[in-house]
Amino acid sequence: MLGPMSSDRPVKNVLFIMCDQLRWDAISGNGLDIIDTPNIDRLAARGVRYQRAFVQGAVCGSSRMSFYTGRYVLSHGTRWNRIPLAINQMTLGDHLRPLGVRTVLIGKTHMTADVEAMNRLGLDPDAPENLFLAQGGFEATERDDGLHPDRPGVHDLPYNRFLRDHGFEGDNPWHSAANSVRDEHGNLISGWLLRASPYPSIVPDELSETAYLTDRAIEFMRSAGETRWCAHLSFIKPHWPYVVSEPYHQLVAADEIPPPRRSEAELHHHHPVLRAFQESRVGWAFRSERARNSVYPAYLGLVKQIDDHLGRLFDEMATMGRLDDTMIVFTSDHGDYLGDHWLGDKDWLHEEAIRVPMIVVDPRAEASATRGTSSSDLVEAIDLVPTFIEAMGGDPADGEPWLEGHSLVPSLHQGAEIGRRGAVCETDYGFLEMSERLAPSSRARDRRATMLRTQRYKYILSETGPNLLYDLDEDPEEFHDRIDDPGLATVRSELHEQLFEWFRARAHDTTYRDATMARLAAPGGMARVGILIGYWDEAELAAGVAGELY
Amino acid sequence: MLGPMSSDRPVKNVLFIMCDQLRWDAISGNGLDIIDTPNIDRLAARGVRYQRAFVQGAVCGSSRMSFYTGRYVLSHGTRWNRIPLAINQMTLGDHLRPLGVRTVLIGKTHMTADVEAMNRLGLDPDAPENLFLAQGGFEATERDDGLHPDRPGVHDLPYNRFLRDHGFEGDNPWHSAANSVRDEHGNLISGWLLRASPYPSIVPDELSETAYLTDRAIEFMRSAGETRWCAHLSFIKPHWPYVVSEPYHQLVAADEIPPPRRSEAELHHHHPVLRAFQESRVGWAFRSERARNSVYPAYLGLVKQIDDHLGRLFDEMATMGRLDDTMIVFTSDHGDYLGDHWLGDKDWLHEEAIRVPMIVVDPRAEASATRGTSSSDLVEAIDLVPTFIEAMGGDPADGEPWLEGHSLVPSLHQGAEIGRRGAVCETDYGFLEMSERLAPSSRARDRRATMLRTQRYKYILSETGPNLLYDLDEDPEEFHDRIDDPGLATVRSELHEQLFEWFRARAHDTTYRDATMARLAAPGGMARVGILIGYWDEAELAAGVAGELY
């Protein structure tokens, strides 16, 4: 077995593990501590646990495109699920390819190809040579977006074929077996319904989607040979449908779940968007004890199941020697309210929804000093692309102007702080049913909010209704909106201005690099290419070309 | 000859005439009135003269990409000359193609293709099928960017071949003949040098670039047949090199030019960017009477020359019947300081630099009532693409989310006001020689300013140094920066907030339409496609799918 890598060598591979809808506090050591996740802890013991990591978008699609492009939602433009990633955007795969690295997908991306632009440019979205482009820069070893509703039609998913090979019949055993249950009377209940969660999934654990994707990851690593890779193992769970295989469905009892984190003050908050979220179907559903008692135990069971399968994966990696040459990241695309703040699902900007676990293991000797530490630096999802580039031997500066995050390698090696002034997360409620009712006179695309989260404050600029302000030192649970607090007037306007600066600093203009500008701006640079502006005569020109005159 | 078109017919063609570097006040009726431009006046008599029209970028490249995409510079990303237009951007040509309209280029675009992205997408920039894409959505009938410095190499320009056919030898007669002069001793002087301007260009008027491009436009119209077209006749002049053929070089005497529009207060303004512009080569050059006396008469001669050739063009169009079925626009990509405000060339945000002539003729009967009127509505360059779409029978709403301007057709037909709260123009000095010296610690790409121009005020948000504020009612010449005036504190913060709203409203997310959102957000919409969030049981689900429950 190899020892830790020597100091000037890049890591050979990256394993980029993502859960879907995993709250920051659901794994051990992060708050709830209802279940143990020893295998995730085992990762954390070898790496750094970033405890203030925030996603950039509040739903799968927008958040993931930030993870995969290293860019804010405002910059990549995929503001919600099913919104195509614009054809011009550079992805992780585009950045790693020049380093000779395969980027491999095992699981979910929620990426939608920009077919309209592909058609306009004469690029066939189905042609094999365009697959990388149509799949968000991943070689789609095993693509599964994990959202296969019960509708008539073809469900041509490898996991469905796998389940059928194991005797689960039908068009879509993803739904009818893996995401359905039978109650005590043998009646079939769809796992989409909240009342299904206390029952075990029809498929056993070893055939669950979590087990299946883990198997595919192991299989990939065994067959990968000497080619360097960045493998994105992207679990579907603990995202809804909230059902889990035996025995995970009964690991946690209904009376062991935490009480809802919510206050009466929140329920009476006048903010139209907050109220609409509270009154939405899912908000209303999770207000009830019934839903929480049904779903929360299954949710934690799904997390425990992931941890167990990760244990299996890490053991296999140890055997293969892959723990020694592979950077491992464990994170999630967003959280889940589960009834906190009188809300369900996600889409809004409380910590429960947009703060995620973020554990990074750098196997190299330089990271020895930081192993097992945790950091309260403000980290963003967009930091991962530059981290991977640097860890794999590239220069994140080559990603300019695309990349908007910071490599975590200096933090992993020297404990250096990024020193980010604030983390930003964007949300769009224009796609939700509440939207039309809430802001009928606005353009659908203006139904948005942008959060700026500093170490102390959270400021939310809401395009509908007033802005919001929380002091997280005094009110870590975000029960009290302080936007009208005269004592915080200066803070409020400073955060507003900081957010304006953030908007102005976005790199929408991606077709040139700072170096291009510097070359044009060099003294005498224009004159040297024959563009002569403001020279009276030949003598001035000669001096100008020589760079002597300004 | 056809009469005016009947009320529900679209115009057949569009003639989109652009000058380069033509100040708003240089044509007759707009302020200076030193030369007459009767042919432009003839246009204005048939159309509407928009007297408060502003470009969106302060140099050719950025301004033109706004004209050609209907988008602000922040949105299309081409912030300066020679910056590629990102491959995903939709152009005028893309919008008009579905209407069966050819978009034809005769002259300058200053468009640079996004070759890096084309290579990444496997699109050959030189392949004939990609020419439309590589030329900014124009069929490049006659492309001439009019900037052909005197450098060794191939100058394979049709105009150069034309000049060689007429006996002007050399690699690059564009420079050595059309843009060079001989002094009284027969010595050759490059037209790039300011001292050359009082002498006539070596080529006679009928072989000048202005005559040549006009000829090509006439030739195109004669050969166009029945296909509908949008022809962009894009003159190189009065842009530098400031030399003009006989007799235009001596139409205006040095003592007839207007005095410089500048104040001592401006010269002592502490603003670092203003000072750097004043102290730049071209600012310094135009501070002198020598440069103004030499250049200004030639500049006005170039304008007069354009007007004469337009007269010839309009006569030809009348003969062909094209005046009756063709919308005609006359405008410019930006202005020219010519010594005003102690500045030369352009790049900054005074009216001299960013306010342009804008005359629109709609030949249809519906526009009869507005013919010969002028409008003080705030108009932007980005209004032209939607205007052309509507005039040609399309629906500008189909251009959503790309188009950020407003069609002028309601204004042309009913005199309706757009009612824009403010016009925006952006500038980047990061590409200029002054840039490094001025703001060495900033990222090159942060060396920017954004102007908001309301009917009364001009607010400039400068990323280097303080912001600027002018009250144009009290100070139409923009001599007095009022940013520190306590009496304008409220105005200042309102304009600042208005500009922040403008930044937030930009459509960077262009891969979906409002209609897509509305469909997803329809009551029960998600449930109908099988995505069931927050339903307890089958009864709730049935009600939800029926849209009965929220």
Side-chain angles (χ1 to χ4, degrees):
Chain A
M1 192 188 284
L2 293 168
M5 300 182 72
S6 75
S7 63
D8 47 2
R9 277 172 59 200
V11 299
K12 187 169 175 225
N13 311 304
V14 168
L15 173 61
F16 172 19
I17 304 167
M18 190 180 283
C19 296
D20 197 317
Q21 199 136 335
L22 174 63
R23 293 161 57 119
W24 171 79
D25 61 7
I27 60 173
S28 18
N30 278 12
L32 291 180
D33 281 321
I34 295 171
I35 52 163
D36 277 330
T37 50
N39 295 298
I40 296 168
D41 288 346
R42 194 170 138 194
L43 262 194
R46 296 179 56 230
V48 177
R49 203 188 269 253
Y50 293 98
Q51 295 292 54
R52 290 189 172 174
F54 297 91
V55 292
Q56 275 57 78
V59 290
C60 307
S62 57
S63 170
R64 284 163 182 269
M65 296 314 115
S66 285
F67 271 109
Y68 305 150
T69 61
R71 290 162 64 71
Y72 291 101
V73 175
L74 185 67
S75 303
H76 63 63
T78 297
R79 301 198 68 87
W80 211 66
N81 301 323
R82 298 199 273 166
I83 302 304
L85 180 65
I87 193 79
N88 66 318
Q89 295 295 311
M90 290 273 289
T91 59
L92 178 58
D94 291 313
H95 291 291
L96 293 185
R97 255 191 177 179
L99 303 174
V101 174
R102 290 174 65 188
T103 49
V104 171
L105 169 65
I106 304 151
K108 173 168 175 170
T109 61
H110 223 120
M111 189 267 181
T112 303
D114 189 0
V115 171
E116 190 171 314
M118 292 183 80
N119 287 335
R120 186 162 55 84
L121 300 177
L123 296 165
D124 177 359
D126 299 318
E129 69 270 23
N130 294 328
L131 203 61
F132 183 80
L133 195 61
Q135 303 270 21
F138 287 104
E139 191 184 313
T141 307
E142 176 81 27
R143 182 170 183 180
D144 177 4
D145 276 347
L147 198 66
H148 310 287
D150 189 28
R151 303 170 74 185
V154 181
H155 294 273
D156 185 24
L157 178 73
Y159 180 55
N160 270 340
R161 292 196 291 275
F162 168 86
L163 289 177
R164 282 194 288 268
D165 288 346
H166 286 80
F168 296 95
E169 303 290 326
D171 268 356
N172 187 16
W174 177 90
H175 174 253
S176 58
N179 286 287
S180 286
V181 301
R182 286 194 189 279
D183 70 11
E184 51 276 50
H185 311 295
N187 298 319
L188 194 71
I189 313 174
S190 167
W192 290 97
L193 300 174
L194 304 180
R195 79 178 184 94
S197 298
Y199 303 101
S201 155
I202 288 173
V203 301
D205 170 46
E206 64 272 20
L207 302 181
S208 68
E209 211 166 7
T210 295
Y212 173 81
L213 291 174
T214 308
D215 290 344
R216 296 294 78 72
I218 293 169
E219 208 169 76
F220 164 73
M221 288 184 197
R222 283 184 181 148
S223 68
E226 281 310 298
T227 315
R228 301 173 71 199
W229 44 261
C230 170
H232 183 36
L233 171 56
S234 186
F235 291 115
I236 315 302
K237 298 296 182 185
H239 191 278
W240 36 257
Y242 299 111
V243 289
V244 64
S245 302
E246 177 112 41
Y248 298 100
H249 72 297
Q250 56 188 8
L251 279 191
V252 177
D255 61 6
E256 290 175 297
I257 65 167
R261 195 179 293 155
R262 62 199 187 192
S263 73
E264 283 298 312
E266 287 182 290
L267 198 54
H268 302 295
H269 197 291
H270 56 92
H271 198 285
V273 181
L274 272 179
R275 290 206 67 85
F277 271 111
Q278 289 167 359
E279 290 163 12
S280 71
R281 157 157 303 280
V282 72
W284 197 261
F286 276 90
R287 185 178 294 200
S288 75
E289 214 175 304
R290 178 178 77 168
R292 295 187 82 252
N293 289 346
S294 181
V295 168
Y296 218 129
Y299 179 86
L300 293 173
L302 286 163
V303 178
K304 181 68 178 175
Q305 183 185 32
I306 287 170
D307 187 74
D308 282 347
H309 286 284
L310 285 180
R312 194 161 64 82
L313 173 66
F314 298 153
D315 289 347
E316 290 281 348
M317 289 178 73
T319 306
M320 291 186 263
R322 286 291 78 78
L323 289 185
D324 303 313
D325 61 11
T326 303
M327 168 172 274
I328 303 180
V329 168
F330 177 82
T331 190
S332 174
D333 63 348
H334 53 74
D336 191 327
Y337 277 108
L338 291 168
D340 293 345
H341 306 286
W342 310 95
L343 300 174
D345 202 25
K346 60 254 181 184
D347 281 301
W348 193 245
L349 300 162
H350 294 97
E351 302 282 282
E352 288 79 1
I354 51 97
R355 182 187 192 183
V356 290
M358 177 74 78
I359 297 166
V360 184
V361 178
D362 187 327
R364 295 173 290 182
E366 295 92 323
S368 300
T370 65
R371 293 194 203 293
T373 62
S374 66
S375 163
S376 61
D377 209 9
L378 293 172
V379 165
E380 296 182 323
I382 58 172
D383 296 336
L384 290 185
V385 175
T387 302
F388 296 167
I389 292 172
E390 182 167 4
M392 298 200 95
D395 183 351
D398 292 343
E400 189 259 329
W402 294 98
L403 301 181
E404 299 187 284
H406 301 280
S407 167
L408 297 172
V409 171
S411 157
L412 294 162
H413 289 192
Q414 292 101 38
E417 297 228 322
I418 293 175
R420 175 175 274 128
R421 291 169 67 208
V424 170
C425 183
E426 297 168 71
T427 192
D428 250 85
Y429 43 89
F431 300 91
L432 297 174
E433 296 189 12
M434 61 189 242
S435 164
E436 274 295 326
R437 211 180 43 161
L438 177 63
S441 65
S442 68
R443 290 191 316 168
R445 57 173 60 240
D446 293 333
R447 297 165 189 174
R448 298 182 174 172
T450 310
M451 172 202 87
L452 176 67
R453 206 292 197 186
T454 67
Q455 287 288 8
R456 176 160 184 180
Y457 296 101
K458 179 178 287 186
Y459 179 66
I460 296 174
L461 197 162
S462 172
E463 302 294 345
T464 300
N467 301 328
L468 298 145
L469 177 63
Y470 299 96
D471 180 341
L472 299 169
D473 277 2
E474 293 189 7
D475 173 30
E477 291 178 305
E478 302 171 87
F479 288 164
H480 305 289
D481 171 23
R482 307 277 296 279
I483 199 70
D484 294 323
D485 185 337
L488 291 181
T490 305
V491 166
R492 188 183 62 219
S493 53
E494 282 169 1
L495 293 170
H496 190 74
E497 193 57 30
Q498 188 178 332
L499 202 51
F500 190 6
E501 285 167 20
W502 177 87
F503 270 89
R504 300 207 302 278
R506 302 287 48 84
H508 302 299
D509 41 343
T510 51
T511 58
Y512 66 97
R513 299 186 172 79
D514 269 14
T516 314
M517 299 180 81
R519 185 163 40 78
L520 291 171
M526 299 273 274
R528 269 192 292 273
V529 297
I531 297 180
L532 314 177
I533 309 171
Y535 295 92
W536 176 256
D537 62 10
E538 293 78 354
E540 276 192 11
L541 175 59
V545 171
E548 287 166 19
L549 279 178
Y550 182 65
Chain B
M1 193 186 283
L2 292 168
M5 301 180 71
S6 75
S7 64
D8 47 1
R9 277 170 62 199
V11 301
K12 186 168 178 225
N13 311 302
V14 168
L15 173 62
F16 172 21
I17 305 168
M18 188 180 283
C19 296
D20 196 317
Q21 198 137 334
L22 175 63
R23 294 162 56 121
W24 171 79
D25 61 6
I27 60 172
S28 17
N30 278 11
L32 290 181
D33 283 319
I34 295 170
I35 52 164
D36 278 331
T37 51
N39 296 297
I40 297 168
D41 288 345
R42 196 170 137 191
L43 261 194
R46 296 181 55 231
V48 177
R49 203 188 271 253
Y50 293 98
Q51 295 292 54
R52 290 190 172 175
F54 296 91
V55 293
Q56 274 58 77
V59 291
C60 307
S62 57
S63 171
R64 284 163 181 268
M65 295 314 114
S66 285
F67 272 107
Y68 305 150
T69 62
R71 290 163 62 73
Y72 291 101
V73 175
L74 185 66
S75 304
H76 64 62
T78 297
R79 301 198 67 86
W80 211 67
N81 300 324
R82 297 199 274 167
I83 302 304
L85 180 65
I87 194 78
N88 67 317
Q89 296 295 311
M90 291 274 285
T91 59
L92 177 60
D94 292 312
H95 292 291
L96 293 185
R97 255 192 178 179
L99 303 175
V101 173
R102 289 174 67 188
T103 48
V104 171
L105 169 65
I106 304 151
K108 173 167 175 171
T109 61
H110 223 120
M111 188 269 180
T112 303
D114 190 0
V115 171
E116 192 170 311
M118 291 183 81
N119 287 335
R120 185 161 57 82
L121 300 178
L123 296 165
D124 178 359
D126 299 319
E129 68 270 22
N130 295 329
L131 203 62
F132 184 80
L133 196 61
Q135 303 270 21
F138 287 104
E139 191 184 313
T141 309
E142 177 82 28
R143 182 170 184 182
D144 176 4
D145 276 348
L147 198 66
H148 309 285
D150 189 27
R151 301 171 74 186
V154 181
H155 295 273
D156 186 22
L157 178 74
Y159 180 54
N160 269 340
R161 292 196 290 275
F162 168 86
L163 289 177
R164 280 193 291 266
D165 288 346
H166 285 79
F168 295 94
E169 303 290 326
D171 269 356
N172 186 15
W174 177 92
H175 175 253
S176 58
N179 286 287
S180 286
V181 301
R182 285 193 190 278
D183 69 11
E184 52 274 49
H185 312 294
N187 298 317
L188 194 71
I189 313 174
S190 166
W192 289 97
L193 300 174
L194 304 180
R195 78 180 185 93
S197 299
Y199 303 101
S201 154
I202 288 172
V203 301
D205 170 47
E206 65 272 21
L207 302 181
S208 68
E209 211 166 7
T210 295
Y212 174 81
L213 291 174
T214 308
D215 290 343
R216 297 293 79 72
I218 293 169
E219 208 169 78
F220 164 74
M221 288 185 197
R222 283 182 182 153
S223 67
E226 281 311 295
T227 317
R228 300 173 72 199
W229 44 260
C230 171
H232 183 37
L233 171 56
S234 188
F235 291 115
I236 314 302
K237 298 296 181 186
H239 191 277
W240 37 255
Y242 300 109
V243 290
V244 63
S245 301
E246 178 113 41
Y248 298 100
H249 72 295
Q250 56 188 9
L251 279 192
V252 177
D255 61 8
E256 291 175 296
I257 66 168
R261 196 179 295 154
R262 63 199 187 194
S263 74
E264 281 298 312
E266 289 182 289
L267 198 56
H268 302 295
H269 198 291
H270 55 91
H271 198 285
V273 180
L274 273 180
R275 290 206 66 86
F277 271 111
Q278 289 168 356
E279 289 163 11
S280 71
R281 159 161 299 281
V282 73
W284 197 261
F286 276 89
R287 185 178 296 199
S288 75
E289 214 175 302
R290 179 178 76 170
R292 296 187 82 253
N293 289 346
S294 182
V295 167
Y296 218 129
Y299 179 87
L300 292 173
L302 286 163
V303 177
K304 180 69 179 175
Q305 182 184 34
I306 287 170
D307 187 74
D308 282 346
H309 287 284
L310 286 179
R312 193 162 63 84
L313 171 66
F314 298 152
D315 289 346
E316 290 281 349
M317 289 178 73
T319 307
M320 290 186 264
R322 286 292 79 77
L323 289 186
D324 303 313
D325 61 10
T326 303
M327 168 173 273
I328 304 180
V329 168
F330 177 82
T331 189
S332 173
D333 63 347
H334 53 75
D336 191 326
Y337 278 107
L338 291 169
D340 292 345
H341 306 286
W342 311 93
L343 299 174
D345 203 25
K346 61 253 181 184
D347 282 302
W348 194 243
L349 300 162
H350 294 95
E351 302 282 281
E352 288 80 359
I354 52 97
R355 182 187 192 185
V356 289
M358 177 74 79
I359 296 165
V360 184
V361 178
D362 187 326
R364 294 174 292 183
E366 295 93 322
S368 299
T370 65
R371 294 193 203 292
T373 63
S374 66
S375 164
S376 61
D377 210 9
L378 293 172
V379 165
E380 296 183 323
I382 60 173
D383 295 336
L384 290 185
V385 175
T387 302
F388 295 167
I389 292 173
E390 183 168 4
M392 298 198 95
D395 183 351
D398 292 343
E400 189 259 330
W402 294 98
L403 301 182
E404 300 187 282
H406 302 279
S407 167
L408 298 173
V409 171
S411 156
L412 293 162
H413 289 192
Q414 293 100 37
E417 295 229 324
I418 293 177
R420 176 174 272 128
R421 292 169 67 208
V424 170
C425 183
E426 299 170 70
T427 192
D428 251 84
Y429 41 89
F431 299 91
L432 298 174
E433 297 189 11
M434 60 188 244
S435 165
E436 273 296 326
R437 209 179 47 161
L438 178 62
S441 65
S442 68
R443 292 192 314 170
R445 58 173 57 240
D446 293 334
R447 298 166 187 173
R448 298 181 174 174
T450 310
M451 171 201 89
L452 176 67
R453 205 293 197 185
T454 67
Q455 288 287 8
R456 175 159 183 181
Y457 297 101
K458 180 177 288 185
Y459 179 66
I460 297 173
L461 198 162
S462 172
E463 302 295 345
T464 300
N467 301 329
L468 297 143
L469 177 63
Y470 299 95
D471 180 341
L472 298 168
D473 277 3
E474 293 190 6
D475 172 33
E477 291 179 304
E478 302 172 89
F479 289 163
H480 304 288
D481 171 24
R482 307 279 295 279
I483 199 71
D484 294 322
D485 185 336
L488 291 181
T490 305
V491 166
R492 188 182 64 217
S493 53
E494 282 170 1
L495 292 170
H496 190 73
E497 194 57 30
Q498 188 179 332
L499 202 50
F500 189 6
E501 285 166 21
W502 177 86
F503 269 88
R504 302 206 302 277
R506 301 287 48 84
H508 302 298
D509 41 344
T510 51
T511 59
Y512 66 97
R513 298 185 172 81
D514 269 13
T516 315
M517 299 180 81
R519 185 164 39 78
L520 291 170
M526 299 274 274
R528 270 192 291 276
V529 298
I531 298 180
L532 315 177
I533 309 171
Y535 295 92
W536 175 254
D537 62 10
E538 292 78 354
E540 277 193 10
L541 176 59
V545 170
E548 287 166 19
L549 279 177
Y550 181 67

